[in-house]
Amino acid sequence: MAVVRPFKAYRPQLDLVEKVSALPYDVMNSEEAREMVIGKPYSFLHVDKPEVDLEPGIDVHSEQVYLKASENLKKMINYKVYMQEEKPCLYIYRQIMNGRPQTGIVACASIDDYINDIIKKHELTRADKELDRFNHVDYTNANTGPIFLTYRHKDEIDALVKNWTETKTPVYDFKSEDGVSQIIWVIDEEEVINKLSALFAGTDYLYIADGHHRSASAVKVGLKRRQENPSYTGDEEFNFFLSVIFPDNDLYVMDYNRVVADLNGNSSEEFMNKASEKFDITLYEGEGQFKPEVQRTYGMFLEGKWYKLAAKEGTFNMKDPVDRLDVSILQNNLLEPILGIDDPRTNSRIDFVGGIRGLSELERRVKGGMKVAFSMCATTMDDLMDIANAGKTMPPKSTWFEPKLQSGIFVHEL
């Protein structure tokens, strides 16, 4: 039984929401964020990337940074940039990118569901990234960026959402700086809130699509607050964290492609000969780049030419949800044994290019100094859920979701 709970959100005043809303903290570095906030005093990056208001070169993990985040959020609340809902509500959050919508429920999820594996994970987390978000949540006393959750869609939930969006007026309807439409409805009728909560309670699992570090950190802050408040009841806000919950059939997972700096001491001919032991390789004679449309096929850009690669029998185990992933097949049969990319998380000779940038970016990177690039099929939502259900983890850089959830539209105070 998944807990989906309404909450009294802090959200921007109607005339300020466009100025507050910002891309999530982890899609830009500090220098880029400093440029992005020039002339934008209301941008939520002042909370999510508070080093922009401190001297350049500051350690972004210093206490001063987290104190600044807390200060900036309090100012936005005190100066009435934000209003708080009078009673707990759920929200509908629709994003439209290139004409394609995805529509989810904004709510709080339970830290106990995370602990008890009702909320399924598919990625490992890094201690340093966890600690950063832990401190940010703890110092600001708030979840400032929603966790991106998904579930196997239910017709009953779809029908409730459809009815609400067709009969009610959204409170926000604007385009963010990345050109994506952001449309928000408030669900403030107790009967509908209870129906949605009950329908989610009948859902076996929720799945983290994106936001593993943020969710792990939110849970750890909640556990810390429980230790600090031994008489807690479980109903306090620190027992829950901010989420947007999308049905699986609404989500668009993009390809996550690879570029490698060199051929690991091989000549192009030697590399092709070794790769052909595990892949059928043919020259692509079509126009433009080769974008694979069938799983276990790949595009390869080498020496100014595109090739099509197809994994041979015996290179993967169809019964293993991780081993059969396209990213695993490429890693296990080519990147590691031939190109020497032992750990793609730490090896400096490999880089990753999200599909949002297109395959021309792969060509540009190779022509700019990298040696070889690989285009891939996107990982599917079924793949993600199968791996999470098996208690396994995906290889790094397996999924790229678009559009990105905006930060600053909702704040959940602990």
Side-chain angles (χ1 to χ4, degrees):
M1 291 179 56
V3 174
V4 170
R5 166 178 158 126
F7 69 110
K8 294 167 65 174
Y10 280 95
R11 54 186 181 85
Q13 300 286 355
L14 178 60
D15 60 335
L16 295 177
V17 64
E18 283 187 65
K19 298 177 180 179
V20 172
S21 176
L23 286 169
Y25 75 98
D26 54 355
V27 302
M28 82 284 289
N29 60 35
S30 296
E31 290 71 28
E32 291 168 333
R34 287 180 188 277
E35 291 293 321
M36 293 170 73
V37 299
I38 293 174
K40 298 176 182 176
Y42 296 108
S43 171
F44 201 70
L45 289 177
H46 292 283
V47 175
D48 260 2
K49 301 282 283 185
E51 66 268 22
V52 300
D53 296 321
L54 300 170
E55 63 274 13
I58 190 171
D59 179 1
V60 297
H61 299 128
S62 67
E63 185 180 32
Q64 188 179 356
V65 171
Y66 303 115
L67 287 170
K68 191 66 177 177
S70 177
E71 176 190 334
N72 286 347
L73 180 58
K74 287 176 181 176
K75 282 182 178 179
M76 294 178 83
I77 292 172
N78 291 338
Y79 293 167
K80 307 301 183 184
V81 174
Y82 277 96
M83 54 160 282
Q84 187 177 26
E85 220 71 68
E86 293 184 359
K87 64 179 183 179
C89 298
L90 296 176
Y91 306 84
I92 297 173
Y93 182 3
R94 175 171 293 160
Q95 297 178 294
I96 304 175
M97 176 179 171
N98 298 328
R100 186 186 183 283
Q102 62 181 31
T103 307
I105 300 293
V106 183
C108 280
S110 164
I111 70 170
D112 289 306
D113 281 356
Y114 181 98
I115 294 166
N116 296 326
D117 211 30
I118 299 299
I119 296 175
K120 296 283 188 180
K121 308 88 179 166
H122 68 265
E123 282 185 11
L124 298 174
T125 56
R126 283 174 42 183
D128 59 334
K129 289 189 174 183
E130 266 194 43
L131 180 60
D132 170 58
R133 285 302 99 182
F134 173 91
N135 285 329
H136 194 276
V137 172
D138 200 26
Y139 277 79
T140 59
N141 191 43
N143 305 134
T144 59
I147 312 304
F148 191 159
L149 299 179
T150 186
Y151 64 99
R152 293 206 182 273
H153 71 280
K154 287 188 168 188
D155 291 342
E156 300 95 329
I157 296 176
D158 292 347
L160 277 174
V161 170
K162 183 174 186 291
N163 180 67
W164 194 274
T165 57
E166 289 182 350
T167 59
K168 306 291 184 180
T169 302
V171 292
Y172 303 133
D173 187 349
F174 67 98
K175 279 193 175 181
S176 49
E177 287 184 320
D178 55 2
V180 176
S181 294
Q182 315 284 340
I183 311 170
I184 310 291
W185 291 262
V186 179
I187 302 178
D188 55 1
E189 294 180 11
E190 190 170 344
E191 181 182 357
V192 178
I193 291 172
N194 291 339
K195 281 183 180 179
L196 281 168
S197 295
L199 285 167
F200 277 107
T203 300
D204 291 334
Y205 302 111
L206 301 176
Y207 299 82
I208 299 175
D210 197 13
H212 282 78
H213 290 95
R214 276 171 285 149
S215 53
S217 302
V219 170
K220 288 185 175 180
V221 171
L223 294 176
K224 175 176 180 282
R225 299 293 174 89
R226 287 180 175 183
Q227 289 182 332
E228 295 168 347
N229 300 272
S231 60
Y232 76 91
T233 66
D235 197 48
E236 300 86 356
E237 290 301 322
F238 58 71
N239 296 287
F240 305 90
F241 57 89
L242 178 63
S243 305
V244 184
I245 313 168
F246 291 94
D248 60 338
N249 60 344
D250 250 19
L251 297 183
Y252 182 39
V253 190
M254 299 190 76
D255 43 309
Y256 215 156
N257 303 306
R258 275 76 170 135
V259 288
V260 182
D262 57 70
L263 297 182
N264 196 31
N266 294 289
S267 67
S268 295
E269 184 178 3
E270 289 170 334
F271 166 70
M272 292 285 276
N273 287 337
K274 291 178 181 180
S276 64
E277 294 177 11
K278 297 295 181 72
F279 298 87
D280 291 319
I281 303 176
T282 55
L283 180 67
Y284 177 62
E285 297 180 343
E287 294 184 2
Q289 305 89 12
F290 176 66
K291 182 176 177 61
E293 302 291 342
V294 179
Q295 287 190 314
R296 289 170 280 284
T297 60
Y298 307 82
M300 181 175 72
F301 187 64
L302 176 68
E303 306 288 359
K305 297 178 181 179
W306 280 94
Y307 297 86
K308 176 182 176 181
L309 278 62
K312 292 183 177 181
E313 290 290 330
T315 55
F316 57 92
N317 177 7
M318 275 300 294
K319 295 181 179 180
D320 187 317
V322 177
D323 195 66
R324 68 177 182 239
L325 282 180
D326 283 8
V327 291
S328 297
I329 295 168
L330 188 69
Q331 175 65 29
N332 296 338
N333 294 279
L334 192 153
L335 295 179
E336 181 173 4
I338 302 175
L339 295 182
I341 307 297
D342 50 350
D343 185 351
R345 286 184 179 86
T346 58
N347 196 300
S348 61
R349 295 170 46 243
I350 189 170
D351 203 359
F352 304 89
V353 179
I356 190 70
R357 297 188 178 185
L359 299 189
S360 294
E361 176 66 11
L362 297 183
E363 289 188 357
R364 190 191 71 80
R365 294 292 300 275
V366 171
K367 292 173 182 177
M370 302 296 271
K371 185 64 179 179
V372 62
F374 301 93
S375 60
M376 310 177 67
C377 281
T379 301
T380 69
M381 289 303 300
D382 283 338
D383 288 331
L384 184 153
M385 291 180 169
D386 287 345
I387 289 168
N389 287 338
K392 298 190 174 187
T393 56
M394 281 190 173
K397 310 296 185 183
S398 295
T399 55
W400 182 284
F401 288 95
E402 287 288 346
K404 302 298 183 188
L405 300 180
Q406 293 282 300
S407 291
I409 301 178
F410 302 96
V411 173
H412 169 236
E413 188 176 52
L414 303 188

